[in-house]
Amino acid sequence: MARTSAAKEPATYEQALAELDRLVAQMEGGQLPLDQLLDAYRRGAELLGLCRARLQAVEEQVKVLEDGQLKAWPAT
């Protein structure tokens, strides 16, 4: 399970989220040796950053039609 920063980037947000879910489940299971736990944590941090960046990009692209004009989607 050893992964490095050279691990392949998931093609989609959904794939990144699924991999992140698997890593969290493995880490919560408490059965990983320390070195694999650290690798999983690092990979999880990379995936979390990727998911956040993709969500931000989508949020910036989403528009709402209001009073006949396109306006940026409000950040929540």
Side-chain angles (χ1 to χ4, degrees):
M1 148 88 149
R3 296 192 187 232
T4 65
S5 59
K8 183 180 175 196
E9 184 175 300
T12 66
Y13 170 83
E14 290 77 12
Q15 289 173 345
L17 191 58
E19 184 179 346
L20 184 57
D21 284 341
R22 283 190 302 272
L23 287 172
V24 169
Q26 289 174 342
M27 290 171 25
E28 288 179 342
Q31 299 300 315
L32 291 176
L34 186 59
D35 60 337
Q36 288 182 358
L37 183 62
L38 183 57
D39 287 343
Y41 179 83
R42 287 180 180 148
R43 178 63 176 165
E46 291 172 2
L47 291 167
L48 182 58
L50 179 73
C51 288
R52 284 182 176 163
R54 288 186 180 174
L55 284 174
Q56 180 67 35
V58 168
E59 184 177 275
E60 291 173 5
Q61 293 176 25
V62 173
K63 304 287 183 179
V64 176
L65 184 59
E66 185 176 295
D67 294 327
Q69 294 182 356
L70 289 176
K71 297 186 178 184
W73 185 264
T76 56

